[in-house]
């Protein structure tokens, strides 16, 4: 696996592959890699000739509530995992390389859909994500980029950015990889104590219960959300939001919307956990 820490070294390698008409698939990450990330890389390998992974803990997408310094960094283990799945290139830039200046710079302006849910709780988060992803896309010039669906809203905003700003890149979203008890794999699970780790799967159980109840015919989404919030509070979570939305634009569903997603964000101790379940319901007209 080739490791590039400078933009110049990365660009030289990318140009070389392009001159050989190789296709490139890209998996952007912030490191602390788990089976979910590796599934993205494995899938990327089936889609292109060369696989590029980036590890960059992007300071511009953190807000005060989450400590940038405390974000888990496990570089050696990450490199071994990427070697094991035959990643072709790891891009490992420093903050200085990515952002020679952090003030008075051009950034991506995100649409209003970036201000709800995660965007409402984490001000400026999606502008930070979109800007770094745009920079990485320009550097790596991939044909395909692969993201996890655990960050449902992030994936939606990346897709919209790619469409609106005419990036010639296919965006692939892959299902969330879960632990045996249902907890969505996440780098942030590292913040959980042993006791919290046991409780943490309660989040998936609670949103999956909402899915089941909707599939059985309930459509009083507000009640379902409130019940789930209360149940989670009883289990020791501090819920941020539990919302039933439509998949297409994350707005509140109308009675005839069939493609739904339940999105959740909760605090458990020092960890802010997010999860979602996307599913479809059929509305039968018995009239
Ligand atoms: O999903 C992540 O890990 C990050 O938001 C991303 C896409 C790598 C941008 O920093």
């Amino acid at each position: 696996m080739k490791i590039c820490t400078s933009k110049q070294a990365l660009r030289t390698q990318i140009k070389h592959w392009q001159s050989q008409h190789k296709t490139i698939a890209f998996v952007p990450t912030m490191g602390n890699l788990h089976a979910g990330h590796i599934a993205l890389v494995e899938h990327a390998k089936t889609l292109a000739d060369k696989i590029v992974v980036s590890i960059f803990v992007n300071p511009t997408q953190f807000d005060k509530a989450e400590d940038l310094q405390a974000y888990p960094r496990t570089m050696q283990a990450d490199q071994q995992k990427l070697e094991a799945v035959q990643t072709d290139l790891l891009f490992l830039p420093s903050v200085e390389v990515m952002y020679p200046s952090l003030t008075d710079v051009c950034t991506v302006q995100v649409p209003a859909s970036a201000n709800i849910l995660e965007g409402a709780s984490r001000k400026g988060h999606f502008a930070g994500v979109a800007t770094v992803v745009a920079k990485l896309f320009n550097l790596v010039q991939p044909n395909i980029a692969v993201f996890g669906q655990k960050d449902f809203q992030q994936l939606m905003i990346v897709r919209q950015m790619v469409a609106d700003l005419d990036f010639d890149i296919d965006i692939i979203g892959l299902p969330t990889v879960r632990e045996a008890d249902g907890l969505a794999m996440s780098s942030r699970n590292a913040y959980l104590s042993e006791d919290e780790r046991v409780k943490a799967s309660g989040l998936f159980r609670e949103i999956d219960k909402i899915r089941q109840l909707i599939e059985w015919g309930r459509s009083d989404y507000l009640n379902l959300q409130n019940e789930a919030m209360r149940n989670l509070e009883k289990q020791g979570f501090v819920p941020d939001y539990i919302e039933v939305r439509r998949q297409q634009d994350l707005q509140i569903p109308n009675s005839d919307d069939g493609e739904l997603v339940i999105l959740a964000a909760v605090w458990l101790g020092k960890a802010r956990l997010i999860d979602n379940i996307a599913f479809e319901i059929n509305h039968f007209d018995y009239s």
Side-chain angles (χ1 to χ4, degrees):
M1 179 173 72
K2 193 178 171 93
I3 300 180
C4 294
T5 55
S6 74
K7 293 178 182 173
Q8 206 185 2
L10 173 69
R11 285 200 154 122
T12 304
Q13 183 60 68
I14 298 292
K15 284 208 170 84
H16 178 65
W17 283 335
Q18 285 172 337
S19 74
Q20 297 176 323
H21 304 289
K22 302 285 187 206
T23 54
I24 297 171
F26 176 45
V27 182
T29 82
M30 299 209 300
N32 192 232
L33 303 181
H34 50 67
H37 294 112
I38 300 306
L40 303 182
V41 178
E42 294 274 24
H43 188 76
K45 281 174 61 182
T46 68
L47 303 174
D49 301 319
K50 298 290 175 189
I51 307 305
V52 177
V53 176
S54 64
I55 296 182
F56 178 61
V57 183
N58 173 37
T60 67
Q61 69 187 78
F62 283 77
D63 59 10
K64 296 190 288 309
E66 191 184 10
D67 189 355
L68 171 66
Q69 301 310 322
Y71 194 82
R73 289 163 172 88
T74 51
M75 196 50 71
Q76 226 179 337
D78 289 354
Q79 284 185 27
Q80 280 165 7
K81 287 177 190 168
L82 293 174
E83 292 270 11
V85 289
Q86 281 124 39
T87 304
D88 295 286
L89 190 154
L90 170 60
F91 182 45
L92 206 55
S94 64
V95 173
E96 293 70 32
V97 164
M98 285 303 280
Y99 302 109
S101 164
L102 267 173
T103 52
D104 200 23
V105 288
C106 294
T107 57
V108 174
Q109 191 181 330
V110 283
S113 59
N115 297 328
I116 58 172
L117 302 163
E118 281 303 280
S121 299
R122 305 173 70 191
K123 296 268 175 269
H125 171 68
F126 285 121
V129 170
T131 301
V132 81
V133 170
K135 283 165 73 69
L136 290 166
F137 282 176
N138 283 328
L139 289 162
V140 176
Q141 297 188 26
N143 304 83
I144 295 164
V146 186
F147 292 80
Q149 285 167 354
K150 186 178 76 78
D151 297 290
F152 196 92
Q153 195 177 2
Q154 166 174 285
L155 179 58
M156 199 186 86
I157 288 162
V158 169
R159 283 191 199 283
Q160 188 175 344
M161 177 183 78
V162 162
D164 292 350
L165 301 183
D166 300 309
F167 283 91
D168 190 11
I169 302 173
D170 279 344
I171 304 298
I172 310 286
L174 292 188
T176 303
V177 177
R178 299 184 180 280
E179 304 282 358
D181 64 356
L183 176 66
M185 289 203 185
S186 165
S187 305
R188 292 179 176 84
N189 295 348
Y191 298 141
L192 297 169
S193 69
E194 240 171 85
D195 181 44
E196 288 163 352
R197 170 62 194 85
V198 175
K199 286 186 187 158
S201 59
L203 174 60
F204 174 67
R205 276 197 299 279
E206 211 53 55
I207 60 172
D208 200 43
K209 194 158 81 192
I210 300 180
R211 174 195 59 78
Q212 206 167 50
L213 291 169
I214 294 174
E215 285 182 354
W216 288 346
R218 293 241 335 233
S219 56
D220 53 334
Y221 301 143
L222 206 57
N223 289 335
L224 291 171
Q225 291 166 193
N226 290 338
E227 275 166 38
M229 299 266 268
R230 277 196 300 274
N231 290 342
L232 287 167
E233 271 165 17
K234 278 187 215 142
Q235 294 167 48
F237 293 88
V238 180
D240 186 348
Y241 61 81
I242 311 276
E243 294 280 337
V244 180
R245 296 290 170 110
R246 54 185 195 199
Q247 287 180 34
Q248 168 204 352
D249 55 7
L250 300 186
Q251 294 301 310
I252 293 169
N254 296 319
S255 54
D256 56 350
D257 280 317
E259 292 186 356
L260 303 178
V261 55
I262 305 159
L263 301 124
V266 296
W267 285 93
L268 186 57
K270 288 200 294 289
R272 185 169 183 282
L273 305 175
I274 62 168
D275 201 351
N276 67 79
I277 298 179
F279 64 108
E280 247 176 88
I281 47 167
N282 293 315
H283 294 283
F284 297 109
D285 185 1
Y286 295 108
S287 59

